[in-house]
Amino acid sequence: LATRHTLSLNVIRDRSPPFVRLADGSIRNDYALKLINMTDQPRRVQISVAGLDGARLLAPALNAEGNVVVDASADAVTNVRIHVVAPPGVSTGSHDLSFTIRDSATGEVATSESAFLAGGAP
């Protein structure tokens, strides 16, 4: 039990549309995140993304570092909708992304891999 993980993350990329080209030329992909808190206490977690140069998160609760801050309910799955925006000029195709959630109090981390699609007409 001492090594049991108490925080987990599942990421599902929205498929329709596969991506959206914004007015400034940047590209947005949308994701549904499932934050799984396996403790009997609520947690505050920060969500971040890595793997694509210049990519940033868009969500209502961004902190100063550009991470999303979410309260995860005790012993429950918390659903979060996230937008990832890549800068204009990102190369066409699929890019690997890694989403990370970090418990603000304990530092516990969970990650999940996904893809970012760019290029062509949506």
Side-chain angles (χ1 to χ4, degrees), residues 41-117:
Q41 299 295 315
R43 304 171 109 162
R44 176 159 285 182
V45 298
Q46 291 186 5
I47 303 169
S48 59
V49 66
L52 179 59
D53 288 339
R56 60 188 169 84
L57 295 173
L58 280 181
L62 288 174
N63 66 12
E65 292 82 37
N67 298 324
V68 177
V69 179
V70 174
D71 291 321
S73 300
D75 198 26
V77 175
T78 301
N79 296 303
V80 179
R81 305 278 308 160
I82 296 284
H83 307 293
V84 176
V85 177
V90 67
S91 61
T92 301
S94 179
H95 303 272
D96 293 334
L97 282 184
S98 177
F99 288 86
T100 301
I101 57 174
R102 178 180 309 275
D103 184 309
S104 299
T106 67
E108 186 175 356
V109 172
T111 61
S112 183
E113 304 300 318
S114 191
F116 184 94
L117 299 183

